[in-house]
Amino acid sequence: MCGAKLRGDNIGSTEIQFIPGKRIKRGHYVADTRTAGSISLLMQIALPCALLADGPVTLDLKGGTNADMAPQIEYMTEVFRNVLKLFGATFDMTVHRRGYYPKGGGFVTVDVTPVQKLVATRVMERGFISKIYGWSFVAGTLPMRLANQMSEGFKEKISDLHPRTDITVLKEDINLAPNNCSGIITVCETSSGCRLGAAGLGRRGAAPLDVGRAAALALRHDILSGGCLDTHLQDQVIIYMALAEGRSSMRVGDITLHTKTAIYIAELIANVRFEVEEDGSQNIIQCNGLRVYNRHHPNQAELLPNRY
């Protein structure tokens, strides 16, 4: 995307040099993990670049749509995109085929319109719970009772916080999702527009009720923390805070190790300064961004400062 040169990318290498070009190019790009590797993680890598390209970008991403140890694809549209819009950016997504462990085979298209700049945002007021919703699914040859049990387990552990929980129980279309998988994806939306997410995937030896319960306990933890971002969203916003124009502030619960690592890398590479301030049981992450302007923006290039 940026015409980079890469050196040292060989087996046994102890050092890699990545030298980006001066322009992020519009176009159609394909990335294929050839495994069940997470499509959501491919998105995390590509989006900041695509948003600062010199024209529209289409990403064809192949791998796992619902993978363990990574955000589910629905998380990216329901939770991540919600906060990305606050930075003045968004994306469109089409899921052509779902991919699960171990076969993968998922295929997602992400369409990105570049921005002139990312704007700083303050996400400080959580508000009260307005709704909790989500999906409990089975795919392939797995029976519907697994999806029902995951939904029941989730509601069992969350109902005292919000009794009206809307979990859609479904069997994935065999043409969209031919391989076996089960899981639950849930979202808590608040009166201030914040969204917190939690999910769980079925696996051999795990009772479906327990998968649902675990997702509920994870969501419950983030709700009770009082933060505006869940534990999986904290680290994902760090790069956007660093690039934005102005001072961003985010109220979160406990700072995760992923977030600490993202802050460390951003400060090391971009020469920005993050501040983490304790505020009772929560933490406030703040940063004065770099004010990165897209001087190659297709519609407003002549109006922008000569910096990238």
Side-chain angles (χ1 to χ4, degrees):
M1 293 175 69
C2 62
K5 296 179 181 179
L6 181 63
R7 299 170 183 164
D9 55 326
N10 55 277
I11 295 175
S13 173
T14 59
E15 182 178 275
I16 291 177
Q17 288 185 330
F18 180 82
I19 307 168
K22 295 182 178 181
R23 191 182 191 115
I24 302 175
K25 299 177 182 178
R26 73 184 74 192
H28 188 168
Y29 299 94
V30 178
D32 188 351
T33 67
R34 301 183 185 275
T35 66
S38 173
I39 287 174
S40 296
L41 296 184
L42 292 177
M43 286 182 62
Q44 285 185 16
I45 296 169
L47 270 174
C49 295
L51 288 168
L52 294 172
D54 61 7
V57 172
T58 296
L59 305 170
D60 280 343
L61 307 177
K62 301 178 181 181
T65 55
N66 301 81
D68 203 8
M69 306 286 290
Q72 310 301 304
I73 202 69
E74 292 82 4
Y75 182 93
M76 302 303 289
T77 56
E78 297 296 317
V79 179
F80 171 75
R81 184 165 57 183
N82 186 60
V83 77
L84 183 63
K85 288 178 180 179
L86 300 178
F87 288 97
T90 191
F91 58 86
D92 293 316
M93 179 190 291
T94 303
V95 178
H96 304 286
R97 180 184 171 100
R98 293 187 174 276
Y100 309 124
Y101 179 84
K103 293 184 178 180
F107 176 23
V108 171
T109 296
V110 182
D111 291 303
V112 184
T113 299
V115 297
Q116 173 188 337
K117 62 182 179 180
L118 294 162
V119 296
T121 185
R122 284 175 53 85
V123 185
M124 297 290 290
E125 300 299 328
R126 223 272 297 279
F128 58 83
I129 299 172
S130 57
K131 60 181 176 179
I132 294 178
Y133 64 95
W135 303 267
S136 183
F137 72 91
V138 291
T141 61
L142 297 182
M144 276 290 290
R145 61 177 174 81
L146 303 182
N148 283 309
Q149 290 172 6
M150 286 186 291
S151 176
E152 291 168 8
F154 177 81
K155 292 178 180 179
E156 174 191 315
K157 295 296 184 181
I158 209 75
S159 60
D160 62 320
L161 295 183
H162 193 71
R164 298 181 302 279
T165 301
D166 183 17
I167 303 296
T168 301
V169 178
L170 61 96
K171 174 91 171 183
E172 292 283 9
D173 185 330
I174 193 69
N175 296 310
L176 179 68
N179 299 318
N180 288 352
C181 187
S182 64
I184 184 168
I185 303 103
T186 63
V187 180
C188 171
E189 187 170 323
T190 74
S191 58
S192 65
C194 296
R195 291 185 185 177
L196 313 173
L201 286 177
R203 59 188 184 278
R204 190 182 299 275
L209 275 170
D210 289 338
V211 173
R213 288 165 180 158
L217 291 174
L219 187 60
R220 184 186 186 91
H221 173 271
D222 283 324
I223 291 172
L224 295 178
S225 76
C228 300
L229 280 64
D230 65 53
T231 52
H232 303 293
L233 190 57
Q234 290 178 22
D235 59 291
Q236 295 185 58
V237 302
I238 296 302
I239 188 170
Y240 298 98
M241 294 175 72
L243 295 174
E245 179 182 42
R247 185 171 181 82
S248 294
S249 301
M250 301 283 179
R251 182 181 296 277
V252 301
D254 294 332
I255 303 292
T256 68
L257 182 57
H258 278 190
T259 301
K260 292 177 181 178
T261 303
I263 288 173
Y264 174 80
I265 296 298
E267 290 184 334
L268 183 67
I269 293 177
N271 195 29
V272 292
R273 175 73 177 173
F274 280 83
E275 301 168 14
V276 178
E277 175 187 338
E278 290 188 12
D279 184 21
S281 60
Q282 289 110 41
N283 291 277
I284 299 172
I285 305 173
Q286 300 182 87
C287 175
N288 290 319
L290 290 172
R291 299 194 302 154
V292 172
Y293 284 85
N294 183 357
R295 63 186 178 91
H296 300 299
H297 190 275
N299 296 328
Q300 303 184 54
E302 70 279 3
L303 302 177
L304 302 177
N306 188 25
R307 63 173 181 260
Y308 196 37

